[in-house]
Amino acid sequence: MIKSLKGQFILSIFVAIGFVYSTFSTIEFTGDERFLSVLVLFFFIMILSVFNAGLLSEKYIQTRKKK
């Protein structure tokens, strides 16, 4: 587990970028219906990952302003 806020911020940015890239490179919105639920679940995980990266970036900026 990464304890520093800067490390968490960098890791969350990389994870969010990875999810966005892999989702938009493999998702087919008009694809087979049997994989639709898995794609929708993966899409929501990507959205949550990007949201988490945004929260951590806000927290990181606030701690940088205090110093």
Side-chain angles (χ1 to χ4, degrees):
M1 181 90 188
I2 299 173
K3 295 186 184 220
S4 71
L5 185 60
K6 185 176 182 178
Q8 289 178 357
F9 172 65
I10 292 170
L11 182 64
S12 66
I13 291 294
F14 283 136
V15 169
I17 289 170
F19 268 119
V20 169
Y21 176 75
S22 64
T23 299
F24 286 122
S25 66
T26 60
I27 196 166
E28 294 179 14
F29 292 106
T30 58
D32 195 6
E33 288 187 19
R34 62 184 171 154
F35 295 118
L36 186 60
S37 61
V38 174
L39 293 175
V40 169
L41 178 67
F42 195 70
F43 191 71
F44 281 122
I45 290 171
M46 179 206 55
I47 291 171
L48 288 175
S49 174
V50 172
F51 180 74
N52 186 32
L55 287 178
L56 282 174
S57 64
E58 181 182 354
K59 188 175 179 182
Y60 178 72
I61 290 170
Q62 287 177 356
T63 59
R64 295 288 290 180
K65 287 183 179 179
K66 289 180 183 178
K67 290 183 179 180

